[in-house]
Amino acid sequence: MQAEHSSKVAVIKYPVFARKLQAKEVSLICWLLLSRVWFTLRFKIESDLFVAVCLVKSREPHISLVLYHLFKWSIVSPMLHGYFRGRIYGAEQVPKRGPLIVVSNHASDFDPPILSAAVRRPVSYMAKEELFEIPVFSRAIALYGAYPVKRGSPDRSAIRAAMTQLENGWAIGIFLTGTRTIDGRIDQAKLGAAMIASKMQVPLLPVSLWGTQAIVKKGKLLPRSVPITVRVGSVIEPPIAGDRSGLEAVTARCVDEIHRLHDLGR
């Protein structure tokens, strides 16, 4: 009897012990599965955040895009195509995303908005620091892409500001002469655009503005209805080396392309 009782106890205890082992195994399996799901979700979330950040940095802020299109279609585009009978060639060659340096000739104060409208994306330009002291106006021009530069300060301050805009996904506009010319030609090109392109490894886009020198006649305030033509050239890769000879070579290519487009005229 005692043996039977002992065997029965053993039989009874064994299933209970087995059930306890199964419960631990199930807990362990559940823990492993949950851990796997957690790490998978964490990796997916981090990957999506990384992609989102990259996408944001490849374009201007959304509010800037809204302001750009609002200003373009309400004011700039009607004036360019109506009042100035504007023609645009090669706009399809403009990269739609990513940092970009738009280089051009310069003959009029009307050049920045005309150029930005022609390339179909916001273009950021430097503006004198005093404009950013006006409370509401400073916020508006900052959203539109302007960045402050001190007049008379070394070029490196402007270069740092431009590089910051490029890091934020903007296209920046640089006039190779640095100032207006009476005939729209580039006589002495500065190396700033090529230097920034070399440091940031960002492509350059040459654009020719034809006819803008005649918009405002000397001594007059109102713009005249003159024909304007904008021609966009092919993208030029940035110089790999940042030495002076490399910067001069790329700058010369930009100038030659702009002059070639400018010589096509109307």
Side-chain angles (χ1 to χ4, degrees):
M1 282 297 289
Q2 190 173 0
E4 288 181 6
H5 180 71
S6 301
S7 63
K8 285 181 180 179
V9 171
V11 170
I12 292 171
K13 284 183 177 180
Y14 178 75
V16 172
F17 182 67
R19 286 196 296 275
K20 287 183 179 178
L21 285 178
Q22 289 174 357
K24 289 181 179 179
E25 289 175 350
V26 169
S27 299
L28 179 61
I29 292 171
C30 290
W31 183 83
L32 291 173
L33 288 174
L34 288 174
S35 299
R36 179 64 181 271
V37 170
W38 162 247
F39 283 113
T40 302
L41 287 174
R42 182 181 175 183
F43 176 78
K44 182 70 168 60
I45 291 171
E46 290 177 349
S47 300
D48 290 344
L49 286 174
F50 176 77
V51 171
V53 169
C54 291
L55 287 176
V56 169
K57 291 298 182 180
S58 70
R59 290 244 47 179
E60 311 80 1
H62 292 298
I63 183 63
S64 298
L65 288 172
V66 172
L67 289 175
Y68 164 74
H69 286 290
L70 180 64
F71 186 58
K72 173 184 175 179
W73 295 112
S74 63
I75 299 175
V76 181
S77 190
M79 283 197 66
L80 176 59
H81 295 284
Y83 190 69
F84 294 126
R85 308 185 299 282
R87 296 178 182 176
I88 301 172
Y89 300 97
E92 69 280 355
Q93 300 190 85
V94 181
K96 295 181 180 179
R97 289 183 174 274
L100 179 70
I101 301 176
V102 182
V103 291
S104 175
N105 57 320
H106 187 28
S108 170
D109 290 335
F110 285 80
D111 290 344
I114 290 176
L115 183 58
S116 184
V119 299
R120 301 176 182 175
R121 61 176 290 185
V123 179
S124 177
Y125 289 94
M126 66 178 68
K128 58 184 180 180
E129 190 180 39
E130 290 80 2
L131 294 176
F132 288 83
E133 297 175 359
I134 306 173
V136 178
F137 184 71
S138 62
R139 180 59 178 165
I141 61 175
L143 290 174
Y144 199 70
Y147 53 95
V149 174
K150 292 182 180 179
R151 290 187 295 181
S153 64
D155 289 342
R156 58 178 176 269
S157 64
I159 291 175
R160 284 197 300 267
M163 290 171 64
T164 299
Q165 292 295 87
L166 291 172
E167 289 174 352
N168 292 328
W170 280 89
I172 66 169
I174 297 179
F175 298 117
L176 292 179
T177 54
T179 186
R180 291 171 295 171
T181 60
I182 60 174
D183 57 357
R185 307 289 292 184
I186 302 172
D187 297 326
Q188 295 180 345
K190 298 183 180 296
L191 303 181
M195 182 184 297
I196 296 172
S198 176
K199 288 180 177 292
M200 301 292 294
Q201 284 301 291
V202 171
L204 300 108
L205 183 72
V207 178
S208 164
L209 299 172
W210 183 91
T212 60
Q213 73 277 3
I215 292 178
V216 178
K217 195 174 181 179
K218 190 174 182 179
K220 302 292 183 180
L221 295 177
L222 296 178
R224 298 190 301 164
S225 178
V226 297
I228 302 298
T229 301
V230 182
R231 296 183 186 271
V232 181
S234 301
V235 169
I236 295 176
E237 293 301 317
I240 298 176
D243 59 330
R244 187 172 184 84
S245 61
L247 300 181
E248 288 177 345
V250 170
T251 301
R253 284 187 59 193
C254 293
V255 173
D256 291 343
E257 179 65 5
I258 292 171
H259 282 169
R260 184 188 69 82
L261 297 171
H262 196 267
D263 290 340
L264 295 175
R266 179 63 173 165

